[in-house]
């Protein structure tokens, strides 16, 4: 038996070669009944396109080049939506639809494994995601527009708060029912893709507003949906489309970057990973635990429990959570900044929750300092003037209101600055010792004598001597290297702002006109300083 790609109207029928006649039934229709409900519309669209191209040919007669031509035609005719990636998503969907049809034919015995032509056609690669964490200022603007526009700002703001606090997918919010709310433990049960479900901690404030919203809008039974429209009907996916359509019309960054609800998930999970580690971030996002990979078997054992997720949520919102360990109470995490822009609805009016900024404290700018690293340096210098030890990381977090991740990056930068400053001061002292020795008619002291006279290590003296003896050519090369580092950082920033991946080494060589060795050294210097976004 063999599958015939139908003769019109989208039919795909089964032909019995021995009988010389076609069997009854539309195989596409029957096969699609075996597909999941989420995949069925996509599969039907691309299988109908395959029927239109291949007509009455049998699947075992289709050649690999013809499959590639079909995928190319799908890419050329793909609808250019706001998230268009050059038709690569359409190619992957078409490939998966064909793979489903061939798989069904093999399972029914219409084709043999060796007759599946897709074995000879490579699966198109998935393009890297352009989504990333949204900066705090833009999150605040998104909440402001949501609460000041639209016919139902209460639902819009509550929905944004829910996604930013839980990092839930849109399907999790749409499926949320009253019975999924555990008020005593401040947990919500999320039903998400693949039929998975998990309990996610939420703040007591959000839990109260979810219950109040559901009851005021007609949710009476445990099986009723939580998020509901003004007419008391359950919210649908169209609510997201209208909300982000309104935001794109009023915020240029949202329109240009194609920001959607899933970007809020990226924002929260990124913050959790920076402050609480990978295992907690993975559990917070509800990602499956992989039992294989470069981390080996240990990767499957490193899991975070609901208590650790609650501790991260407590730090994010500034509210005590009943499941968070006592050591991770709100007082213990005071000073750990959270994503700004979280709002809540109180008695129909919107009230802003007072949370500090995420990556950079506002006080640093109001004090006339350009960056957090300058603020840390000023605190170090102040401690030195009054004879006190330098403040530690936890103390810096409490003073500046910045996140642990931001303070750590600032400390690395300040340490490098202080190290260079110490080397310059040591070089000046060594030069003075050389001048004194020459004035006294004595030979210059060696490294051991210099180390003893200055109190520095021999290694530090060696570095200072290298700085003193640096010829003009090396100084020029050092300045050229610093200029190249700055140019590469600018190119990477421009690419990320345009939603494109960072340029590779070959592209940087063409753009800067420098050698591969020079670009490689500049990239290593950038990574050592904390990435392209380091000041």
């Amino acid at each position: 038996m063999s599958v015939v790609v139908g003769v019109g109207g989208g039919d795909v029928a089964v032909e019995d070669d021995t009988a010389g006649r076609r069997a009854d039934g539309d195989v596409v229709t029957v096969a699609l009944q075996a597909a999941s409900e989420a995949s069925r519309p996509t599969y039907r669209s691309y299988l109908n396109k395959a029927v239109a191209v291949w007509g009455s040919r049998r699947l075992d007669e289709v050649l690999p080049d013809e499959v590639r031509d079909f995928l190319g035609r799908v890419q050329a005719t793909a609808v250019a939506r706001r998230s268009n990636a050059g038709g690569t998503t359409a190619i992957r969907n078409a490939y998966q639809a064909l793979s489903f049809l061939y798989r069904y034919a093999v399972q029914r015995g219409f084709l043999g494994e060796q007759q599946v032509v897709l074995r000879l056609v490579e699966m198109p690669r998935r393009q890297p995601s352009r989504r990333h964490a949204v900066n705090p200022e833009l999150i605040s603007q998104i909440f402001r527009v949501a609460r000041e526009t639209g016919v139902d700002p209460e639902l819009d703001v509550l929905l944004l708060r829910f996604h930013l606090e839980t990092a839930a997918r849109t399907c999790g919010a749409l499926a949320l029912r009253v019975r999924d709310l555990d008020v005593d433990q401040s947990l919500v049960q999320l039903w998400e893709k693949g039929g998975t479900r998990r309990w996610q901690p939420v703040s007591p404030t959000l839990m109260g507003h979810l219950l109040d919203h559901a009851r005021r809008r007609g949710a009476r039974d445990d099986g009723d949906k939580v998020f509901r429209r003004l007419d008391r009907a359950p919210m649908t996916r169209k609510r997201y489309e209208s909300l982000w359509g309104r935001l794109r019309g009023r915020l240029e960054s949202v329109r240009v970057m194609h920001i959607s609800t899933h970007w809020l998930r990226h924002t929260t999970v990124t913050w959790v990973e920076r402050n609480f580690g990978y295992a907690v971030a993975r559990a917070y996002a509800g990602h499956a635990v992989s039992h294989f990979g470069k981390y080996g078997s240990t990767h499957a054992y490193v899991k975070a429990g609901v208590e650790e997720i609650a501790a991260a949520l407590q730090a994010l919102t500034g509210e005590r959570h009943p499941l968070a360990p006592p050591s991770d109470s709100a007082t213990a995490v005071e000073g750990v900044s959270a994503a700004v822009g979280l709002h809540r609805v109180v008695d129909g009016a919107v009230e802003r929750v007072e949370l500090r900024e995420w990556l950079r404290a506002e006080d640093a700018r109001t004090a006339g300092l350009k960056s957090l690293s300058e603020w840390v340096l000023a605190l170090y210098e102040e401690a030195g003037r009054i004879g006190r030890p330098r403040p530690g990381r936890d103390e810096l977090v409490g003073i500046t209101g910045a996140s642990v991740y931001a303070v750590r990056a600032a400390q690395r930068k300040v340490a490098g600055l202080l190290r260079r400053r110490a080397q310059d001061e040591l070089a000046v002292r060594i030069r003075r010792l050389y001048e004194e020795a020459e004035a006294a008619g004595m030979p210059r002291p060696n490294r051991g004598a210099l180390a003893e006279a200055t109190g520095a290590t021999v290694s530090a003296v060696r570095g200072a001597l290298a700085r003193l003896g640096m010829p003009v050519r090396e100084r020029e090369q050092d300045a050229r290297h610093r200029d190249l580092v700055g140019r590469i950082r600018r190119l990477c920033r421009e690419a990320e702002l345009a939603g494109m991946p960072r340029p590779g080494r070959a592209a940087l060589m063409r753009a800067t006109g420098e050698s591969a060795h020079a670009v490689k050294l500049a990239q290593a210097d950038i990574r050592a300083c904390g990435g392209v976004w380091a000041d």
Side-chain angles (χ1 to χ4, degrees), residues 80-96:
R81 295 184 173 87
R82 60 182 177 84
S83 58
N84 180 51
T88 54
T89 303
I91 295 179
R92 289 182 59 87
N93 290 339
Y95 187 96
Q96 291 170 353

Side-chain angles (χ1 to χ4, degrees), residues 234-307:
M235 182 190 71
T236 64
R237 195 171 296 275
K238 290 184 178 180
R239 187 69 199 178
Y240 290 103
E241 298 174 4
S242 62
L243 170 61
W244 289 104
R246 191 168 74 250
L247 293 171
R248 285 192 293 271
R250 289 167 173 79
L251 296 174
E252 185 68 11
S253 297
V254 175
R255 183 188 66 81
V256 173
M257 299 175 68
H258 309 304
I259 293 177
S260 62
T261 307
H262 208 73
W263 288 62
L264 303 181
R265 176 174 166 86
H266 279 258
T267 301
T268 303
V269 174
T270 299
W271 184 87
V272 173
E273 190 276 331
R274 296 296 190 265
N275 291 279
F276 292 88
Y278 174 78
V280 179
R282 184 181 62 197
Y284 204 108
H287 288 146
V289 179
S290 174
H291 294 273
F292 304 96
K294 65 179 182 179
Y295 300 104
S297 301
T298 306
H299 187 60
Y301 289 86
V302 182
K303 302 175 184 177
V306 68
E307 293 81 7

Side-chain angles (χ1 to χ4, degrees), residues 136-152:
E137 291 80 4
L138 184 54
I139 289 224
S140 295
Q141 295 175 20
I142 289 173
F143 273 91
R144 176 183 55 80
V145 173
R147 72 174 182 267
E148 294 177 356
T149 61
V151 297
D152 192 2

Side-chain angles (χ1 to χ4, degrees), residues 61-84:
E61 294 177 345
V62 178
L63 301 177
D65 288 341
E66 293 175 320
V67 175
R68 298 187 186 98
D69 292 341
F70 170 69
L71 295 178
R73 180 176 301 189
V74 168
Q75 183 179 19
T77 58
V79 178
R81 295 184 173 87
R82 60 182 177 84
S83 58
N84 180 51

Side-chain angles (χ1 to χ4, degrees), residues 297-461:
S297 301
T298 306
H299 187 60
Y301 289 86
V302 182
K303 302 175 184 177
V306 68
E307 293 81 7
E308 294 175 274
I309 301 175
L313 173 73
Q314 185 171 262
L316 177 69
T317 61
E319 293 187 50
R320 293 182 180 274
H321 194 278
L323 297 182
S327 59
D328 291 323
S329 61
T331 56
V333 297
E334 184 179 1
V336 179
S337 60
V340 299
L342 294 181
H343 298 78
R344 59 188 176 189
V345 181
V346 180
D347 298 330
V350 178
E351 174 186 348
R352 182 187 178 104
V353 178
E354 296 181 358
L355 297 175
R356 277 173 291 209
E357 192 171 307
W358 176 15
L359 292 178
R360 182 183 294 175
E362 182 68 23
D363 296 341
R365 290 195 293 270
T366 58
L369 301 175
K370 296 180 180 179
S371 65
L372 181 60
S373 58
E374 291 187 8
W375 196 356
V376 172
L377 179 60
L379 291 172
Y380 281 178
E381 293 174 345
E382 178 66 21
R385 281 194 296 269
I386 63 178
R388 294 184 57 187
R390 292 176 180 174
R393 184 170 300 160
D394 294 339
E395 189 175 354
L396 289 173
V397 166
I399 295 174
T400 64
S403 68
V404 176
Y405 171 75
V407 169
R408 187 186 299 120
Q411 285 181 308
R412 286 198 301 265
K413 183 178 179 182
V414 170
L417 177 63
L418 294 177
R419 188 162 49 249
R420 290 191 296 272
R421 183 182 296 180
Q423 289 176 348
D424 291 339
E425 294 175 354
L426 181 59
V428 171
R429 295 172 63 187
I430 290 176
R431 187 188 299 275
R432 189 179 302 116
L433 291 173
Y434 277 175
E435 293 174 351
E436 293 175 356
E438 291 176 358
M442 299 176 63
R444 290 182 176 181
N446 57 23
R447 292 176 184 172
L450 289 173
E452 184 178 357
T454 59
T457 63
V458 176
S459 176
V461 170

